[in-house]
Amino acid sequence: MRISKGALLIVIAFIAPLIVELRTVLAWVNVELTVLESVVLGIGLIGVILVWALWPQSQSNGTESAETK
Amino acid sequence: MNIHTYEKLWLVAAMVLIVGFIATITYGSVGLGITMVGDQQDTVEPTELDDERFSDPRVAQVGENEYEAYVTAQMFSFQPDPIEVPEDSEVTFYVTSRDVIHSFSLVGTNVNTMVIPGEVAEMTVEFDEPDEYGVVCNEYCGPNHHNMEGMVYVVPEDEFDLTELDAEAPGEVETGDDIDVTATVENRLLDPIETTVTLEIGNETVSEDVTIDGGETDETTFTVDSAQLGEGDHEWTVTVDDHTDSWTVTVADELEDDDADDDADEESNENTDAGDDADDGENGTEDETDTDETESDASGGDGE
Amino acid sequence: MTNTYIESFPAEAKVVRAAFYSSFLALAIGGLFGIIQTLHRTGYYRFMDSADYYTVLTAHGVLLAITFTIFFLVGVFTWATTTSLDRPVEDIRFTWAWYGLMVVGTVLTAIPIFAGFTDSEMSASVLFTFYAPLQGHPLFYFGLVLFVVGTWLAGVDWFRSWWAWKQEHPDKRIPLPTFMVLTTTLMWYIATLGVAAAILLFLLPWSLGLVESVNPLLTRTLFWFFGHPVVYFWLMPAYMMWYVMLPKISGGKLFSDPLARVVFVLFLILSVPTGIHHQYLDPGIAEGFKFIAMTNTMFLLLPSLLTAFTVVASMEHGARQRGGTGYLGWLKALPWRDPVFAGMALAGLMFAAAGFSGMINAGMNINYLVHNTFWVVGHFHLTVGTAVALTFMAVTYWFLPQVTGKALWNRSVALGQVVLWFVGMTFMSNAMHRGGLLGIPRRTAEPQYDGFEFEAAVGSVGELDAQIALGGALLTLSLVLFFANVVGTALNSRSDDLPANEYADTLSGPSDAPLVLDNLKLWTAIAIVLVIFAYSFPLLSIIERGGLFGPELTELPVHIGLGLEYLWATTISTVTTASETVVALGAEVNW
């Protein structure tokens, strides 16, 4: 784990406002996403984050020790 | 007091932001002339709106391309509805309430004001392109608040008029008598209009060209020989531009006295409202305007 | 032996607990009404008559904006004074008395509101703002008065504690939490004069038939005299939590005590003379008065921007204490697993977004575009609905063990709850803001019209509705989890292994703060002068124009069969077509 489970959950939650606002922002440059495309994009992003968070090492709990102080 | 350097920087940046906001708002007011609804208008009595403006809610022309719209809001409607104004016009709305607090808000634009009983909201709006705007009440005003709506139609110059048509004819005549159909046409614009008053009755069409000065009323009377129409019910229609008024005249060999009088009375009373489908019995003065004809594309939603 | 609040102040803990539970009850009912409205407005599920929507809306507004928030904050403030002064309340009977008065006031207010659902003639579907000439049952106004008097007495209680403490510690600075309580209370005293005048002088006598009429603009202005500062009454306890709890939970100290005091002093001074910014579009108030209110409002941004700095700086300090490094890397070292921290951090983040939409609202002439649209609803669901409510729910997870002596039922559920709230509110408030820009009005049971349709710039209105319904559903689920934790904790047995009752130390302590900051008389005097400056001329002008008791009004007592009398304007057929439109809209959704 690169980040703690708690932080991972927060990062994933933060995808919601990103995706929701992205639609409006992209419409400014004439890119109109459908709801389905947004959902797919959101799931994709979450997938990428999960891979990033879990990929390198699942054995060490390096950063988690910081949380338990 | 001990303030961290970063915090000082932040403080300065915050003040700059605040002053910047105030400056942009001030520019909007002074530079762009976006004035606020204010206290320009005197108060009124909400229960007896008998002044010249609100006793007859309507659109009136006050100058070249300048109009005034006197609007009342009440549970759960606006008057007049719809409101029709020409393109490229400057319209000053005067809005007041007969009962509770409402709003008068053109959907998707910044034409928006509270409507408070006793107070008159004044707002000047420039309409450029022909368009149509929904009007909502966006302040809760009672159990049917959600049904309170209206329309503003901005119509092309050449389709716009402030003409009032009112035609009258007897309801029943005896065969051989003349039928007098009188069309009263009021031109409430400032400029004169040239138009044609047309009467269709039976298979006949008669018309007369008229010129009506601004603010004047013209009466045109058509005389039709009932013998030519023959016995029976005959529908007649008076048309001026796209305003129409129609009713039926009955030609009978012998008038039955009792009925005839009553009917005639009733009919000539009702007859003023005859051509008017859009109106739900409100006493708006734009009643005769056939709004369906003047609809343009429904692309509303641009900021005004 | 632990050092929890209930160990140190067992009697006070009971009152605080009672206040919290009262607030949670209001939250439960108000939240239930929230999802009902969400589904009704969007047209997904309408089981009641649309006229009843406004009764639901009244209850939702009063129970959440007044009852939930204020019951919670009197609990927090009682905790803050007793803890930071380290002394029990002067007379616990007095404390119970004001709590009791608030309860009685709430019940009396709720009776006519809920009677609106029955066939009885009693009703008060006048919404949270109760604008005349809409008239509620006298009991509604009377209950509100009792409730507010209860809060006044609560303030007396906190001041008594401070005065007694000052006798014993004449040379000490006011402890920061107590300072915050006192400044907020002073602001509340000034603010509530407006609503007290509106109700006692005008609305209550009018609803009792003692006076014929009222001046609708006057009572409305007096309402907003109170109506804006009341949002700071909700917000100040949340700010207090961000100042005194968040740094501690982050693992560090508050960045600056003096700046925290400055912030609260600014709120005391500037909260009240801004209310007219809710009346930018009111006829009868001169543009100049609106401009003054706008300027004051913009300067109110300052304390909030300062808070943003201090809170983030304190969190960074905490993170670095926990071993965080790097420009942004320290963020990873924060205790995200802790629902108290995560909830407050997410609430703060959403408050930043709320600040931006608030700046739009505050812009006098920009306000034309958004005034009374759904945008405003989106805005205050980020402020009171998230910055305040989510902070309150998050700190509940810290407070519950303190006031019950029992361990929190489930920390993971708690974390899930705050995250769900954040996500749900994201969906809901985003769609509300965007809907408002299309001109969709607030406070309406059926924002679907016959003559026209709202046109979305991005997506469709159907998508916005779907987004609102999704958000509302997530928020409801979040509330269910919250109550599961509250009930679960209450059912737990007492625990000996609980965190101590402490709040954050400061990096830059009170000795750095100039003494003048603690001069409450001075700041109160300045606040009053500013209020007189901002309000005397508008009020005089309104009275001069419309009279003290206003023009003759059509009698519109909402509590005697208003619905039937005025149904002339609409017909069954319009209702039917409207609901058909809704079905059509619903069918378009391709979520």
Side-chain angles (χ1 to χ4, degrees):
Chain A
M1 290 283 284
R2 283 181 196 241
I3 53 172
S4 64
K5 277 186 206 156
L8 181 61
L9 179 67
I10 302 294
V11 170
I12 290 172
F14 197 67
I15 295 298
L18 268 187
I19 291 293
V20 164
E21 299 295 346
L22 186 71
R23 280 187 84 200
T24 316
V25 173
L26 284 181
W28 279 82
V29 291
N30 290 323
V31 180
E32 300 224 356
L33 291 186
T34 63
V35 173
L36 187 67
E37 286 163 349
S38 303
V39 171
V40 169
L41 191 64
I43 292 172
L45 264 177
I46 292 171
V48 169
I49 288 168
L50 282 176
V51 168
W52 169 82
L54 302 171
W55 187 258
Q57 75 275 34
S58 349
Q59 69 275 20
S60 119
N61 296 349
T63 41
E64 248 181 336
S65 59
E67 197 203 333
T68 44
K69 210 176 183 179
Chain B
M1 185 152 99
N2 177 17
I3 303 179
H4 196 279
T5 319
Y6 287 164
E7 194 147 21
K8 278 182 193 154
L9 283 175
W10 179 264
L11 243 170
V12 171
M15 287 304 285
V16 169
L17 183 76
I18 289 168
V19 172
F21 279 137
I22 295 176
T24 54
I25 304 301
T26 311
Y27 172 72
S29 296
V30 180
L32 302 178
I34 308 174
T35 53
M36 300 309 296
V37 175
D39 61 351
Q40 302 94 330
Q41 295 296 311
D42 285 339
T43 52
V44 293
E45 289 290 325
T47 45
E48 37 188 304
L49 293 175
D50 51 8
D51 75 356
E52 193 268 319
R53 298 170 298 180
F54 299 113
S55 56
D56 180 17
R58 67 193 184 278
V59 173
Q61 190 180 19
V62 293
E64 177 103 9
N65 298 329
E66 283 176 32
Y67 297 83
E68 289 185 343
Y70 313 119
V71 183
T72 64
Q74 53 271 307
M75 293 174 170
F76 298 96
S77 66
F78 296 100
Q79 231 183 303
D81 179 39
I83 297 170
E84 201 179 88
V85 294
E87 62 183 326
D88 290 324
S89 61
E90 191 181 278
V91 181
T92 304
F93 289 92
Y94 297 89
V95 195
T96 194
S97 164
R98 292 183 192 276
D99 39 45
V100 297
I101 296 179
H102 300 276
S103 95
F104 177 79
S105 310
L106 262 64
V107 166
T109 75
N110 59 5
V111 181
N112 192 356
T113 183
M114 300 307 300
V115 182
I116 299 177
E119 299 286 347
V120 178
E122 178 188 333
M123 234 179 350
T124 300
V125 183
E126 283 171 22
F127 291 102
D128 300 333
E129 301 288 315
D131 207 337
E132 56 177 60
Y133 301 98
V135 180
V136 296
C137 169
N138 64 21
E139 185 55 79
Y140 167 62
C141 58
N144 272 302
H145 164 55
H146 45 274
N147 290 324
M148 184 163 170
E149 59 173 295
M151 289 302 294
V152 169
Y153 294 109
V154 183
V155 302
E157 186 97 54
D158 53 358
E159 288 175 28
F160 181 77
D161 58 39
L162 286 176
T163 304
E164 294 282 305
L165 167 67
D166 182 11
E168 285 192 11
E172 216 170 6
V173 293
E174 208 167 326
T175 312
D177 285 359
D178 281 346
I179 305 170
D180 285 340
V181 182
T182 306
T184 310
V185 185
E186 185 186 2
N187 170 26
R188 302 211 323 217
L189 290 172
L190 294 181
D191 290 333
I193 51 169
E194 284 177 25
T195 187
T196 307
V197 185
T198 308
L199 169 72
E200 288 174 68
I201 186 162
N203 296 324
E204 261 187 86
T205 302
V206 277
S207 59
E208 190 175 318
D209 291 337
V210 292
T211 303
I212 312 172
D213 285 338
E216 293 299 313
T217 303
D218 174 87
E219 272 194 16
T220 307
T221 305
F222 300 100
T223 306
V224 183
D225 181 5
S226 61
Q228 271 190 313
L229 292 171
E231 211 176 325
D233 290 344
H234 302 280
E235 199 176 298
W236 54 262
T237 304
V238 173
T239 308
V240 176
D241 297 331
D242 47 15
H243 307 271
T244 58
D245 201 354
S246 61
W247 200 245
T248 307
V249 57
T250 306
V251 180
D253 277 346
E254 239 171 82
L255 287 184
E256 292 156 40
D257 275 334
D258 304 351
D259 287 354
D261 282 350
D262 291 352
D263 282 358
D265 280 355
E266 265 174 40
E267 281 166 12
S268 54
N269 283 340
E270 284 174 31
N271 152 348
T272 48
D273 273 340
D276 176 14
D277 301 328
D279 182 69
D280 287 323
E282 292 155 12
N283 56 342
T285 53
E286 299 296 303
D287 291 353
E288 312 294 46
T289 313
D290 189 347
T291 50
D292 291 340
E293 299 285 307
T294 58
E295 275 182 30
S296 50
D297 68 87
S299 64
D302 297 337
E304 175 56 38
Chain C
M1 179 73 189
T2 57
N3 278 316
T4 53
Y5 186 70
I6 194 171
E7 298 275 352
S8 321
F9 302 103
E12 287 76 5
K14 273 190 193 161
V15 186
V16 174
R17 198 165 64 210
F20 284 171
Y21 286 161
S22 313
S23 122
F24 298 153
L25 183 62
L27 178 63
I29 303 170
L32 174 67
F33 284 178
I35 187 68
I36 291 174
Q37 289 168 80
T38 305
L39 298 176
H40 192 96
R41 252 193 88 110
T42 53
Y44 281 103
Y45 181 55
R46 289 181 175 165
F47 65 85
M48 60 182 180
D49 191 68
S50 279
D52 285 335
Y53 176 90
Y54 303 104
T55 307
V56 170
L57 182 55
T58 307
H60 179 76
V62 172
L63 286 176
L64 293 184
I66 301 287
T67 318
F68 159 62
T69 50
I70 296 181
F71 265 113
F72 194 87
L73 75 87
V74 295
V76 170
F77 280 4
T78 303
W79 164 84
T81 43
T82 47
T83 301
S84 67
L85 298 174
D86 196 22
R87 64 180 298 132
V89 297
E90 299 313 300
D91 183 349
I92 194 74
R93 286 169 305 177
F94 181 71
T95 310
W96 278 112
W98 59 249
Y99 167 77
L101 200 54
M102 286 172 67
V103 171
V104 172
T106 305
V107 171
L108 292 189
T109 303
I111 288 171
I113 297 178
F114 282 84
F117 292 118
T118 66
D119 290 335
S120 91
E121 290 197 344
M122 185 191 264
S123 137
S125 301
V126 289
L127 306 193
F128 152 68
T129 46
F130 50 86
Y131 295 137
L134 291 174
Q135 193 184 66
H137 190 274
L139 209 54
F140 173 80
Y141 302 111
F142 184 64
L144 283 180
V145 169
L146 288 191
F147 182 81
V148 169
V149 170
T151 64
W152 285 350
L153 295 180
V156 169
D157 204 3
W158 305 320
F159 265 95
R160 276 176 80 187
S161 289
W162 171 58
W163 284 323
W165 175 87
K166 206 165 63 166
Q167 302 299 318
E168 295 167 20
H169 308 86
D171 299 323
K172 273 195 161 178
R173 300 299 295 264
I174 310 173
L176 186 58
T178 301
F179 181 85
M180 293 169 162
V181 170
L182 298 183
T183 44
T184 307
T185 305
L186 288 170
M187 184 274 287
W188 180 243
Y189 282 146
I190 299 174
T192 41
L193 291 179
V195 74
I199 293 183
L200 292 177
L201 298 180
F202 303 109
L203 298 174
L204 188 55
W206 176 57
S207 68
L208 290 168
L210 299 177
V211 296
E212 290 261 307
S213 181
V214 294
N215 182 340
L217 183 59
L218 178 62
T219 49
R220 181 177 158 85
T221 307
L222 288 172
F223 176 84
W224 285 116
F225 180 102
F226 149 88
H228 192 69
V230 73
V231 312
Y232 293 107
F233 197 45
W234 311 326
L235 198 58
M236 290 304 95
Y239 271 33
M240 177 200 270
M241 292 295 106
W242 297 351
Y243 276 106
V244 307
M245 297 301 294
L246 193 59
K248 167 140 200 76
I249 289 161
S250 311
K253 294 179 175 177
L254 174 62
F255 193 72
S256 164
D257 170 294
L259 258 297
R261 284 175 204 255
V262 168
V263 164
F264 276 74
V265 164
L266 282 174
F267 277 118
L268 164 59
I269 293 175
L270 287 173
S271 287
V272 184
T274 52
I276 289 180
H277 73 214
H278 290 260
Q279 299 175 278
Y280 282 151
L281 303 191
D282 280 16
I285 300 177
E287 180 161 13
F289 299 139
K290 294 173 179 172
F291 191 87
I292 292 172
M294 189 271 288
T295 318
N296 288 343
T297 307
M298 288 298 180
F299 278 102
L300 256 181
L301 277 175
L302 187 65
S304 285
L305 288 167
L306 286 179
T307 302
F309 180 91
T310 312
V311 168
V312 174
S314 308
M315 274 165 48
E316 179 177 350
H317 175 256
R320 296 205 187 277
Q321 298 299 308
R322 297 162 60 97
T325 51
Y327 269 122
L328 291 172
W330 57 268
L331 283 169
K332 284 198 292 186
L334 287 167
W336 296 107
R337 175 72 185 81
D338 183 351
V340 185
F341 174 82
M344 280 199 275
L346 292 175
L349 195 67
M350 283 217 134
F351 190 57
F356 289 118
S357 71
M359 291 171 202
I360 304 292
N361 302 340
M364 194 166 72
N365 33 33
I366 306 170
N367 185 258
Y368 271 121
L369 189 64
V370 294
H371 183 84
N372 267 357
T373 65
F374 217 14
W375 167 284
V376 178
V377 186
H379 167 74
F380 65 66
H381 276 88
L382 289 182
T383 53
V384 65
T386 304
V388 175
L390 185 53
T391 300
F392 284 1
M393 288 189 278
V395 291
T396 297
Y397 298 131
W398 185 86
F399 273 115
L400 275 185
Q402 294 297 325
V403 297
T404 60
K406 299 166 180 176
L408 189 67
W409 177 61
N410 190 316
R411 253 166 50 108
S412 300
V413 168
L415 182 65
Q417 186 265 320
V418 295
V419 169
L420 260 183
W421 192 271
F422 174 82
V423 174
M425 198 56 89
T426 298
F427 284 118
M428 191 170 88
S429 76
N430 168 275
M432 285 174 166
H433 277 100
R434 285 165 56 201
L437 289 179
L438 312 182
I440 299 178
R442 69 186 285 193
R443 294 185 154 179
T444 174
E446 299 172 15
Q448 294 90 19
Y449 292 88
D450 294 335
F452 57 92
E453 282 183 7
F454 299 102
E455 288 174 37
V458 180
S460 66
V461 174
E463 282 172 24
L464 292 180
D465 282 341
Q467 204 176 306
I468 289 169
L470 172 71
L474 293 179
L475 290 168
T476 308
L477 179 60
S478 175
L479 273 185
V480 169
L481 296 181
F482 176 75
F483 292 118
N485 237 327
V486 171
V487 174
T489 306
L491 297 178
N492 261 349
S493 48
R494 292 287 281 257
S495 163
D496 286 334
D497 182 27
L498 295 172
N501 177 33
E502 289 171 340
Y503 59 91
D505 283 335
T506 52
L507 282 173
S508 163
S511 53
D512 287 330
L515 264 178
V516 67
L517 280 177
D518 285 13
N519 189 341
L520 296 179
K521 280 180 192 152
L522 172 70
W523 303 121
T524 309
I526 293 178
I528 290 173
V529 168
L530 276 180
V531 168
I532 291 173
F533 184 65
Y535 263 106
S536 55
F537 289 111
L539 286 176
L540 283 175
S541 143
I542 289 167
I543 293 167
E544 198 191 341
R545 290 169 57 82
L548 201 54
F549 290 98
E552 190 187 326
L553 297 169
T554 318
E555 281 289 310
L556 294 162
V558 173
H559 57 92
I560 40 180
L562 176 76
L564 290 176
E565 222 171 301
Y566 286 92
L567 274 173
W568 60 267
T570 48
T571 57
I572 300 300
S573 72
T574 44
V575 179
T576 324
T577 30
S579 41
E580 275 165 13
T581 324
V582 170
V583 175
L585 273 175
E588 275 173 32
V589 177
N590 52 350
W591 184 252

Tab-separated table of all heavy atoms in Angstrom, chain C residues 477-498:
chain	number	residue	atom	x	y	z
C	477	LEU	N	-28.848	7.451	3.138
C	477	LEU	CA	-28.116	6.278	3.605
C	477	LEU	C	-27.082	6.694	4.659
C	477	LEU	O	-26.907	6.041	5.698
C	477	LEU	CB	-27.426	5.612	2.404
C	477	LEU	CG	-26.595	4.372	2.706
C	477	LEU	CD1	-27.469	3.298	3.334
C	477	LEU	CD2	-25.950	3.840	1.424
C	478	SER	N	-26.425	7.809	4.391
C	478	SER	CA	-25.432	8.315	5.319
C	478	SER	C	-26.059	8.607	6.678
C	478	SER	O	-25.493	8.277	7.726
C	478	SER	CB	-24.793	9.575	4.727
C	478	SER	OG	-23.918	10.170	5.637
C	479	LEU	N	-27.258	9.203	6.641
C	479	LEU	CA	-27.945	9.499	7.904
C	479	LEU	C	-28.278	8.226	8.656
C	479	LEU	O	-28.140	8.162	9.882
C	479	LEU	CB	-29.238	10.270	7.627
C	479	LEU	CG	-29.128	11.786	7.515
C	479	LEU	CD1	-30.523	12.390	7.365
C	479	LEU	CD2	-28.446	12.383	8.732
C	480	VAL	N	-28.714	7.195	7.905
C	480	VAL	CA	-29.052	5.921	8.554
C	480	VAL	C	-27.833	5.368	9.284
C	480	VAL	O	-27.901	4.945	10.441
C	480	VAL	CB	-29.587	4.913	7.510
C	480	VAL	CG1	-29.694	3.525	8.113
C	480	VAL	CG2	-30.935	5.380	6.969
C	481	LEU	N	-26.678	5.440	8.614
C	481	LEU	CA	-25.447	4.952	9.246
C	481	LEU	C	-25.117	5.779	10.490
C	481	LEU	O	-24.658	5.261	11.506
C	481	LEU	CB	-24.282	5.008	8.258
C	481	LEU	CG	-24.395	4.120	7.023
C	481	LEU	CD1	-23.162	4.268	6.146
C	481	LEU	CD2	-24.582	2.659	7.428
C	482	PHE	N	-25.344	7.091	10.373
C	482	PHE	CA	-25.055	7.963	11.512
C	482	PHE	C	-25.889	7.556	12.726
C	482	PHE	O	-25.372	7.396	13.838
C	482	PHE	CB	-25.340	9.417	11.122
C	482	PHE	CG	-25.158	10.399	12.252
C	482	PHE	CD1	-23.884	10.756	12.679
C	482	PHE	CD2	-26.259	10.949	12.898
C	482	PHE	CE1	-23.711	11.662	13.720
C	482	PHE	CE2	-26.082	11.858	13.944
C	482	PHE	CZ	-24.813	12.213	14.360
C	483	PHE	N	-27.191	7.358	12.466
C	483	PHE	CA	-28.057	7.010	13.604
C	483	PHE	C	-27.753	5.620	14.134
C	483	PHE	O	-27.874	5.373	15.333
C	483	PHE	CB	-29.530	7.169	13.221
C	483	PHE	CG	-29.896	8.602	13.009
C	483	PHE	CD1	-30.337	9.056	11.779
C	483	PHE	CD2	-29.737	9.523	14.027
C	483	PHE	CE1	-30.642	10.381	11.581
C	483	PHE	CE2	-30.033	10.859	13.848
C	483	PHE	CZ	-30.486	11.284	12.614
C	484	ALA	N	-27.331	4.725	13.248
C	484	ALA	CA	-26.924	3.400	13.716
C	484	ALA	C	-25.800	3.552	14.733
C	484	ALA	O	-25.781	2.899	15.783
C	484	ALA	CB	-26.470	2.539	12.536
C	485	ASN	N	-24.870	4.444	14.442
C	485	ASN	CA	-23.750	4.645	15.347
C	485	ASN	C	-24.178	5.301	16.658
C	485	ASN	O	-23.692	4.940	17.737
C	485	ASN	CB	-22.693	5.522	14.662
C	485	ASN	CG	-21.349	4.827	14.616
C	485	ASN	OD1	-21.022	4.071	15.534
C	485	ASN	ND2	-20.585	5.066	13.585
C	486	VAL	N	-25.085	6.264	16.557
C	486	VAL	CA	-25.545	6.939	17.774
C	486	VAL	C	-26.253	5.932	18.680
C	486	VAL	O	-25.964	5.831	19.876
C	486	VAL	CB	-26.486	8.111	17.417
C	486	VAL	CG1	-27.139	8.668	18.672
C	486	VAL	CG2	-25.722	9.201	16.687
C	487	VAL	N	-27.155	5.153	18.067
C	487	VAL	CA	-27.907	4.181	18.860
C	487	VAL	C	-26.976	3.081	19.359
C	487	VAL	O	-27.006	2.703	20.542
C	487	VAL	CB	-29.067	3.591	18.023
C	487	VAL	CG1	-29.756	2.478	18.780
C	487	VAL	CG2	-30.058	4.685	17.653
C	488	GLY	N	-26.105	2.595	18.473
C	488	GLY	CA	-25.160	1.545	18.850
C	488	GLY	C	-24.297	1.972	20.019
C	488	GLY	O	-24.042	1.194	20.950
C	489	THR	N	-23.855	3.207	19.987
C	489	THR	CA	-23.008	3.711	21.066
C	489	THR	C	-23.798	3.810	22.369
C	489	THR	O	-23.302	3.449	23.444
C	489	THR	CB	-22.436	5.093	20.691
C	489	THR	OG1	-21.788	4.980	19.434
C	489	THR	CG2	-21.460	5.589	21.732
C	490	ALA	N	-25.025	4.292	22.254
C	490	ALA	CA	-25.839	4.424	23.460
C	490	ALA	C	-26.079	3.061	24.104
C	490	ALA	O	-26.184	2.951	25.338
C	490	ALA	CB	-27.171	5.092	23.119
C	491	LEU	N	-26.147	2.011	23.272
C	491	LEU	CA	-26.407	0.671	23.801
C	491	LEU	C	-25.149	-0.013	24.309
C	491	LEU	O	-25.221	-1.043	24.975
C	491	LEU	CB	-27.083	-0.197	22.732
C	491	LEU	CG	-28.464	0.291	22.274
C	491	LEU	CD1	-29.010	-0.610	21.171
C	491	LEU	CD2	-29.426	0.357	23.445
C	492	ASN	N	-23.977	0.549	23.968
C	492	ASN	CA	-22.725	-0.020	24.480
C	492	ASN	C	-22.684	0.073	25.998
C	492	ASN	O	-23.393	0.857	26.601
C	492	ASN	CB	-21.532	0.787	23.928
C	492	ASN	CG	-20.890	0.102	22.733
C	492	ASN	OD1	-21.198	-1.048	22.445
C	492	ASN	ND2	-20.017	0.804	22.053
C	493	SER	N	-21.776	-0.724	26.581
C	493	SER	CA	-21.580	-0.556	28.024
C	493	SER	C	-20.436	0.417	28.265
C	493	SER	O	-19.663	0.721	27.359
C	493	SER	CB	-21.283	-1.909	28.670
C	493	SER	OG	-20.286	-2.568	27.924
C	494	ARG	N	-20.351	0.919	29.474
C	494	ARG	CA	-19.351	1.928	29.793
C	494	ARG	C	-17.955	1.373	29.547
C	494	ARG	O	-17.665	0.215	29.780
C	494	ARG	CB	-19.474	2.350	31.271
C	494	ARG	CG	-20.745	3.110	31.590
C	494	ARG	CD	-20.701	4.515	31.020
C	494	ARG	NE	-19.920	5.401	31.848
C	494	ARG	CZ	-20.440	6.313	32.682
C	494	ARG	NH1	-21.749	6.415	32.785
C	494	ARG	NH2	-19.666	7.096	33.409
C	495	SER	N	-17.072	2.232	29.064
C	495	SER	CA	-15.718	1.806	28.747
C	495	SER	C	-14.735	2.621	29.570
C	495	SER	O	-14.991	3.775	29.914
C	495	SER	CB	-15.456	2.017	27.254
C	495	SER	OG	-14.068	1.986	27.006
C	496	ASP	N	-13.613	2.003	29.914
C	496	ASP	CA	-12.585	2.723	30.672
C	496	ASP	C	-11.472	3.218	29.772
C	496	ASP	O	-10.539	3.868	30.224
C	496	ASP	CB	-11.984	1.799	31.748
C	496	ASP	CG	-12.968	1.607	32.882
C	496	ASP	OD1	-13.810	2.515	33.063
C	496	ASP	OD2	-12.897	0.569	33.549
C	497	ASP	N	-11.562	2.865	28.509
C	497	ASP	CA	-10.453	3.149	27.613
C	497	ASP	C	-10.898	4.178	26.569
C	497	ASP	O	-11.137	3.857	25.422
C	497	ASP	CB	-10.013	1.853	26.928
C	497	ASP	CG	-8.835	2.105	26.022
C	497	ASP	OD1	-8.081	3.066	26.299
C	497	ASP	OD2	-8.683	1.362	25.035
C	498	LEU	N	-11.051	5.420	27.010
C	498	LEU	CA	-11.526	6.459	26.119
C	498	LEU	C	-10.533	7.609	26.115
C	498	LEU	O	-9.836	7.836	27.092
C	498	LEU	CB	-12.895	6.970	26.595
C	498	LEU	CG	-14.040	5.944	26.532
C	498	LEU	CD1	-15.265	6.511	27.211
C	498	LEU	CD2	-14.345	5.554	25.092
